[in-house]
Every structure is written in structure tokens, then in C-alpha cells.
Amino acid sequence: MNAKILIAGGTGNLGGQIIHKLLDEGAEVRAVIRPNTPLEKIGTLKQYDIGVIQTDLTNINELTLACKDVDCVISALQGLEDVIVDVQSALLQAAVNAGVPRFIPSDFSSDFTKQAAGENRNFDLRRKFHEQLEKAPIAATSILNGAFAEILTYGNPLLDLSNNSISYWEDENQRIDFTTMNDVAAFTAAAAMDATTPRFMRIAGFQVSPKELAALAGEMKEQEFKLIRQGSLEDLWAVIQRERAAHPEGENELYPAWQQLQYMRSMFSTTLFPLNNNRYSDIKLTGAKTFINSLLQVNTAN
């Protein structure tokens, strides 16, 4: 019989890609969405051959019914404490109530288990939810993928193709983890169909240092890339503290500028190890050369 998978957060970019990969794997998919979900997002979901359940995501009784006979619950939710802690907690309790054997939380990040509390606001929320997850009578698998490689397309100074420069903090030899969203979705779908996954699965399409990134981009563009050191990690932390104090409204925003800098600090502080890249032989993770080449093609076209 096909595995039955329930996903929350299916209207988001990552969630939508996970649904697509699950269907490719032959799964029977259900998506739970809020009653006030915009019609265009509902329409996008209904393009797939899946069940769409509109429900209050804090109503444990309704969520429990949605979880009936499900083999795995995937959370691809994004938000602040009301979502990452409160809604995920309701979803977790519903999964337990319905006897769902497995739960994949919305982590999809660098390895926050190796970072101190207080260094990254959004990671602290995941850590808080994990306190409940570890106590729940359900098998859980967190997927840690470093940064989504797509951030390099957003004018990130880490890779500036227009100015042929690579900006970094602390150490030009610090390797940074990147995985494309498509690869994360494929790995998540495979993990949801796999009853033997460990508690943490770490993947990285490529691990590259600023120095290596400059050399690779320079070789592919046939132009020299300049390395620009922005300062130490202590300097970056001082900037974060200053920006956070100056913009208290950011506490109610998912990605204020200071939070983005916290992500940058996390990227330059940890490297994923050990990697589970080879767990699924049919998934070929996108490497640095392939990804940068795609960026160069887009950059040239524009």
C-alpha cells in the first residue's frame, strides 16, 4: 500500500516542492491549511492529486482527525513562536493522538544543536519546540541542510556576481553548507517514506569556503573574484546586537535584517557532520559547480 503522508505548510515554496516529490514517490498526500488561506494558494494545492483539509491549526481534535491512518506527518511551517512552537505542538499532539508513527519537524537549517541559545532567535524557537518533541511518544527526524543555496541568488554579498566579489566574516577558509530547496524537498520526501531514519539527518549539496567560492566563481566566469573580509564573528555579533536594539519592531517579523545577520553568523560558525548525503542513492545532490553555473546563466541572460 502507498504511504499516507500529511503535510502542514504545503502552500509555501518548500512545502509545495515536498508535495511534488512525495507524489513522485507514490505517496498518498494530505495537506492541512488554515480556513483563511488565500484562494490562489488553495488553487495551487488543488492542482496536485492530494487531499486538502482546511482546519484551525490550533484545534487538536480537528488535526487528530486529519492525521487518522497517516504514516508520517511533515511540518514545513514557517513563522514565529505562535507557529513554530504553538501550531507545531498542536500538530505533534494530534499526530500522537492519532497513532502516527513518525514526525518530521520544520527545522531545515544549519545545525542549531551545536549553537548556543541566544545566538539565533529563529533557531531558539525550534529548540523550544524540540523540548516537547523529545518527550513525545513518536519517532522524529530532523533534516538539517545548512543554508538554502538559493540565498546566493538574492543579491547576497557572499556571492556578488555583478561586482565579482565574495564577502565573508572571520575566516576565508570556513566551509559553509548549502543545499538547493529542490534537493531538500527530495530528501524530505524520501525520509518521510523511510521508516528507519535516525533522529537527525544532515545533508549538504556542497560545502564551500569563501576562498573556494571565489576560486570556483572566478574560474567559471573567467574573471578574478575579490575576497572582502567584513570583520570577525565578534564584530558581526556587535552589529546584530546594535541592529536588534535599534529595530524592536523586528521581534514581530520573521526575517528582519538583524535575523538575517544571525543566519549569516550561524553559517560561519558550524559545518554539518556527519553527512547523510548517500542515504538515498537515487537522489543526486546539486554541487557547487552546477549551481553556480546556473546562476551565471541567469546573470548573463539578465
Side-chain angles (χ1 to χ4, degrees):
M1 295 180 64
N2 293 340
K4 298 180 177 65
I5 311 296
L6 180 139
I7 183 168
T11 58
N13 194 356
L14 175 61
Q17 293 191 48
I18 292 173
I19 290 173
H20 182 76
K21 299 297 184 180
L22 285 169
L23 294 175
D24 286 347
E25 292 287 334
E28 179 182 321
V29 182
R30 302 176 196 169
V32 288
I33 61 175
R34 300 177 188 274
N36 60 350
T37 299
L39 290 176
E40 62 270 20
K41 290 189 175 183
I42 297 175
T44 299
L45 279 181
K46 289 187 175 179
Q47 293 177 4
Y48 301 109
D49 183 20
I50 65 173
V52 179
I53 304 169
Q54 288 186 270
T55 183
D56 179 355
L57 296 186
T58 63
N59 188 314
I60 294 176
N61 291 332
E62 291 183 8
L63 287 174
T64 299
L65 291 175
C67 289
K68 184 179 179 181
D69 299 323
V70 164
D71 296 301
C72 181
V73 169
I74 300 173
S75 171
L77 295 165
Q78 290 296 313
L80 297 178
E81 185 161 2
D82 61 326
V83 176
I84 296 302
V85 178
D86 298 343
V87 172
Q88 278 204 128
S89 295
L91 187 63
L92 173 64
Q93 186 59 58
V96 170
N97 291 349
V100 177
R102 303 180 59 246
F103 189 96
I104 297 177
S106 184
D107 291 333
F108 309 115
S109 64
S110 61
D111 195 346
F112 58 85
T113 69
K114 296 179 181 178
Q115 299 178 39
E119 292 187 356
N120 186 305
R121 188 268 314 266
N122 289 357
F123 289 173
D124 286 344
L125 297 177
R126 283 159 173 77
R127 190 179 289 106
K128 185 174 182 178
F129 172 68
H130 276 223
E131 293 176 2
Q132 299 182 49
L133 184 60
E134 299 296 348
K135 299 174 184 177
I138 190 171
T141 296
S142 291
I143 296 174
L144 303 176
N145 53 264
F148 288 117
E150 287 79 3
I151 70 167
L152 296 175
T153 69
Y154 302 156
N156 192 308
L158 182 58
L159 176 60
D160 189 335
L161 294 175
S162 298
N163 295 311
N164 291 352
S165 65
I166 306 291
S167 294
Y168 69 96
W169 296 89
E170 188 72 31
D171 183 0
E172 64 182 18
N173 295 304
Q174 170 65 40
R175 305 195 93 190
I176 305 169
D177 306 299
F178 294 100
T179 313
T180 68
M181 191 172 292
N182 182 69
D183 288 346
V184 174
F187 207 88
T188 303
M193 307 280 281
D194 178 1
T196 63
T197 51
R199 177 65 186 85
F200 289 94
M201 298 184 74
R202 297 171 173 86
I203 60 172
F206 52 98
Q207 294 176 313
V208 61
S209 70
K211 186 175 182 179
E212 292 168 333
L213 191 58
L216 183 58
E219 176 187 348
M220 297 180 70
K221 196 174 178 182
E222 298 183 342
Q223 296 177 17
E224 183 178 357
F225 272 66
K226 182 180 179 181
L227 280 166
I228 303 174
R229 188 177 190 270
Q230 299 289 345
S232 67
L233 288 179
E234 288 186 2
D235 294 332
L236 178 55
W237 183 244
V239 173
I240 293 169
Q241 296 292 81
R242 183 171 64 248
E243 288 298 307
R244 190 171 188 176
H247 301 283
E249 70 281 1
E251 302 295 341
N252 298 315
E253 301 171 5
L254 184 56
Y255 298 119
W258 55 262
Q259 173 64 73
Q260 295 176 47
L261 291 174
Q262 286 189 336
Y263 280 123
M264 187 68 68
R265 188 173 188 272
S266 298
M267 290 163 59
F268 280 100
S269 300
T270 61
T271 303
L272 292 170
F273 181 83
L275 293 177
N276 301 98
N277 285 5
N278 297 323
R279 185 175 181 89
Y280 305 112
S281 59
D282 58 329
I283 299 177
K284 306 301 181 184
L285 298 177
T286 305
K289 191 169 185 177
T290 299
F291 185 76
I292 293 173
N293 183 57
S294 69
L295 297 186
L296 287 171
Q297 290 179 357
V298 172
N299 187 260
T300 300
N302 293 336

